[in-house]
Amino acid sequence: MGDQKVIKNLKTFSTSAERFEGSHVLCPGCAHSIIVREVLNATNDNLVVSAATGCLEVCTAIYPHTSWDCSWIHIGFENASTAIAGAEAMNKALRNKGRISADTPQPKFVAFGGDGATYDIGFQWISGCFERGHDMMYVCLDNEVYANTGGQRSSSTPIGASTTTAPAGSTSYGEKQVKKDMLQIMAAHGSPYVAQVAPNKWKDMVKKIQTGFATKGPVFINAMSACTTEWKFQPHQTIEASDLAVDSLVFPLYEIVNGTELNITYRPKNIVPVRDYLAFQPRFKHLFKPENEHIIEEWQKRVNEKWEYLQRREEARV
Amino acid sequence: MNRKEMELNSVEVWDGNTCNAQAFRQASVDVVAAYPITPSTNTVENYATFHANGYVDGEFIMVESEHAAMSACVGAAAAGGRVATATSSQGCALMVEVLYQCAGMRLPAVLCLVNRALAAPLNVNGDHSDMYLTRDAGWIQLDSFNAQEAYDLTLMSFKIGEHKDVRLPVISNQDGFLTSHTAQTVRPLPDKVAYDFIGDYVQVNAMLDFSKPVTHGVQTEHDWHFEHKAKQHAALQGALPIVEEIFKEFKKLTGREYNLVETHKMDDAEVAIVCLGTTYETATIAADELREQGIKAGVIAPRLFRPFPLVQLAQKLQNVKALACMDRSAPGGTVGALYNEVAGALFNTPARPVLRNLIYGLGGRDITVNELKEIFTDLQNDAKNGKLTGKIQRLHGVRGPELSFYEL
Ligand SMILES: Cc1ncc(C[n+]2csc(CCOP(=O)(O)OP(=O)(O)O)c2C)c(N)n1
Ligand code: SF4
């Protein structure tokens, strides 16, 4: 295998960036780039990566440039999972036929998709890949909106957010539906490992990615990816926005192993009210009008219930 | 190789679907990803049986839809190996998005498209609606008229698409049920001969070659998109002589001759029918019977629907006075697709016969020798008058009042 790269540990990995270069046109402060860079740096193995249509794809592979110093493919909006499953199948076939020798190290197969690509249009393809049990990791860059097309709602958009297709108005508080619980759905596929991660808790994130890479079979990672443009905060506030998300428990960090073992991996010392998380982002500004306050209360109630539910499951090991 | 060889007789009785599956097996396809749809299902089922019995050592993935089938094929092809699948009709419609992506990335997949009508109304039988649907997707499109040809052309599809100067995906078209389900005598090649003819897969920009990272499926704007598309178009156009070369090689190996444009008694034909698929053989019978009456009838069919052999077709039509273009697809408010192609091909050439457009055989409706003979009779009138009698387009064999359109 030629030059063996130095195995990165948690300290060194974040200072190296061989596989995802800075030459992209993602917005300043976009969490997509932080997450992708850390995922790619969490392993020394060869990588085959696919990306769904969305901000990540259109900002990192604009001909004749590419930010990807690894094998990479984009096909369409919905099929990043199946593209990588096809590549994984080809790897198996070529090994079985002896065209790739058995002692060549196994590469890792990773697909990235936004929440639109994951929760909505690509859902069937992901479900199919997970049911068939391909040895791959699917990472959802969950910014709760179709960012690339200018801020339309997705089924990950939380209740009360104002988006271009679910705008707040004189008779509407914005998005009516509650965010889909993608992690539970993916765990229910019998995935050996699913986890939620956020870039502000990067040690937790890298550990989970490494666990995912060490797991055989389809792994799902839901990564909270704060979007400065659509959530409307300043580019230097990405980590602050992420802190508020995890510390308010709006985005709890946990993992589910083999569909049965739930572990909460981060417990905020001081739980922040949901109100503070919402107040930070102008997409929720209208919720603070008296007629919409009930949405904030409802939201807080849901977050509390979910947190209790997660803790009960963790305790019961189910 | 980790697979059992299969002993084949020099003559087998196979239907078209068996031919496709055998061609996939003999090509030693690395990844087949598929989803069943009538009438192409048996291609996939036969292949699954080969896989289950150790005659195939590649990966066989039963995915959850045709869109996923082609997506997996594209991912697998970009990874660096030979891929194939089969579909029909609605499955093809679901695949179309990915067909464009596959061709745009210059990945040589093979798709057996067992032609069938598109809904609504739902109909499982054969017409050419799905073939026409894919015509601008950037795939090379071959067309077979019977099971033997389905076998031969599917085998050749791999060699054509993977040729270093082509690097494009190939559709092997064949008529639903008429070809796919009719058992016929077929002369297959022995496994080794077939494989050696196609040759080993030569990987280009493979994602599994980690010495050279590669980015597939980039984004372009007006600054580069045109150049990408121009090169793709040039590769398609440039495929014609390469296909011809591969046809010649195949003839040397098997004695079976294929041409960019197939002709029957066209040398001195004054009236002719141009068609695709199984209708070619029925029309040759009609032409032969008319020849016995001294009528100079001929039949002609482009072997490739894409790239369209425009020049070759025009050359063969120099002496024809009246020509009927047979379109087996609902025309959707215009003249038929084949009519359009042929009319376009002839417009700037000295060969400009009187041209009729016949819409026929939709949803699997038969066309008989006698009906074709009637069409030839109409052509004789056109030839005699030196102009079209009646309207340009006629819906042939439809119940109810006669339907015809476009009067000049
Ligand atoms: C079949 C199809 N439908 C619609 C689109 C348009 N489209 C491209 S990206 C996108 C939204 C992407 O949103 P998401 O997946 O959340 O990723 P983000 O851009 O937010 O990272 C849409 C709607 C498309 N490319 N393909
Ligand atoms: S719009 Fe949002 S997700 Fe897209 S690049 Fe900008 S910050 Fe990132």
Side-chain angles (χ1 to χ4, degrees), chain B residues 16-161:
Chain B
N17 278 319
T18 308
C19 290
N20 294 335
Q22 287 285 6
F24 287 6
R25 184 188 62 77
Q26 291 189 322
S28 189
V29 174
D30 298 312
V31 172
V32 170
Y35 193 81
I37 181 167
T38 306
S40 60
T41 308
N42 302 80
T43 294
V44 182
E45 286 178 341
N46 284 318
Y47 189 79
T49 311
F50 298 153
H51 191 263
N53 291 311
Y55 292 111
V56 169
D57 58 357
E59 285 292 304
F60 174 62
I61 328 174
M62 276 314 291
V63 289
E64 81 291 345
S65 74
E66 289 85 353
H67 192 291
M70 192 44 66
S71 304
C73 282
V74 170
R82 189 169 282 159
V83 303
T85 188
T87 197
S88 300
S89 180
Q90 309 305 123
C92 174
L94 195 53
M95 264 185 197
V96 164
E97 185 197 23
V98 202
L99 295 182
Y100 276 79
Q101 290 154 340
C102 185
M105 283 189 246
R106 305 283 303 272
L107 297 169
V110 169
L111 165 63
C112 285
L113 186 55
V114 180
N115 301 137
R116 167 185 150 181
L118 281 167
L122 185 73
N123 175 298
V124 297
N125 297 299
D127 69 27
H128 293 155
S129 308
D130 52 8
M131 184 198 312
Y132 289 176
L133 176 69
T134 60
R135 72 197 153 148
D136 295 340
W139 287 55
I140 292 172
Q141 300 225 23
L142 309 174
D143 188 32
S144 53
F145 312 155
N146 55 44
Q148 177 72 63
E149 295 183 358
Y151 169 80
D152 292 349
L153 290 170
T154 301
L155 270 185
M156 282 191 268
S157 295
F158 292 101
K159 195 175 174 70
I160 292 166

Side-chain angles (χ1 to χ4, degrees), chain A residues 74-75, chain B residues 74 96-108 136-139 166-169 215-218 220 225 227-233 235-236:
Chain A
H74 158 254
I75 307 182
Chain B
V74 170
V96 164
E97 185 197 23
V98 202
L99 295 182
Y100 276 79
Q101 290 154 340
C102 185
M105 283 189 246
R106 305 283 303 272
L107 297 169
D136 295 340
W139 287 55
V166 178
R167 297 287 306 167
L168 284 169
T215 295
H216 283 280
V218 292
T220 56
H225 191 78
E227 282 69 23
H228 279 276
K229 284 290 156 191
K231 282 198 165 183
Q232 192 186 334
H233 183 64
L236 267 163

Side-chain angles (χ1 to χ4, degrees), chain B residues 121-284:
Chain B
L122 185 73
N123 175 298
V124 297
N125 297 299
D127 69 27
H128 293 155
S129 308
D130 52 8
M131 184 198 312
Y132 289 176
L133 176 69
T134 60
R135 72 197 153 148
D136 295 340
W139 287 55
I140 292 172
Q141 300 225 23
L142 309 174
D143 188 32
S144 53
F145 312 155
N146 55 44
Q148 177 72 63
E149 295 183 358
Y151 169 80
D152 292 349
L153 290 170
T154 301
L155 270 185
M156 282 191 268
S157 295
F158 292 101
K159 195 175 174 70
I160 292 166
E162 291 169 19
H163 188 283
K164 69 175 177 32
D165 297 329
V166 178
R167 297 287 306 167
L168 284 169
V170 184
I171 289 175
S172 171
N173 283 293
Q174 41 209 273
D175 277 347
F177 289 103
L178 299 177
T179 298
S180 63
H181 283 64
T182 310
Q184 300 180 341
T185 53
V186 172
R187 294 171 196 281
L189 298 171
D191 279 9
K192 188 170 162 11
V193 177
Y195 184 84
D196 289 348
F197 169 72
I198 300 168
D200 290 338
Y201 183 85
V202 180
Q203 61 176 41
V204 177
N205 298 328
M207 289 201 293
L208 293 173
D209 172 8
F210 296 106
S211 64
K212 192 170 116 281
V214 59
T215 295
H216 283 280
V218 292
Q219 143 117 11
T220 56
E221 300 292 343
H222 49 81
D223 54 352
W224 280 108
H225 191 78
F226 201 169
E227 282 69 23
H228 279 276
K229 284 290 156 191
K231 282 198 165 183
Q232 192 186 334
H233 183 64
L236 267 163
Q237 295 294 353
L240 273 179
I242 295 167
V243 171
E244 217 169 7
E245 204 46 52
I246 291 171
F247 282 172
K248 275 194 198 132
E249 237 181 275
F250 192 76
K251 188 184 173 190
K252 241 188 245 158
L253 185 71
T254 64
R256 296 195 284 268
E257 182 175 335
Y258 290 89
N259 299 289
L260 300 182
V261 174
E262 301 295 352
T263 53
H264 180 77
K265 309 214 163 135
M266 282 302 293
D267 287 348
D268 62 342
E270 288 176 356
V271 286
I273 278 177
V274 54
C275 59
L276 293 163
T278 44
T279 306
Y280 181 82
E281 291 191 341
T282 320
T284 59

Side-chain angles (χ1 to χ4, degrees), chain A residues 24-33 54-56 58-59 141 143 145-151 225-231 233 238:
Chain A
H24 56 69
V25 295
L26 291 157
C27 303
C30 175
H32 282 9
S33 60
C55 280
L56 180 70
V58 304
C59 297
L141 301 170
N143 58 11
V145 68
Y146 296 167
N148 180 51
T149 38
S225 188
C227 166
T228 76
T229 306
E230 299 304 336
W231 298 15
F233 54 78
T238 310

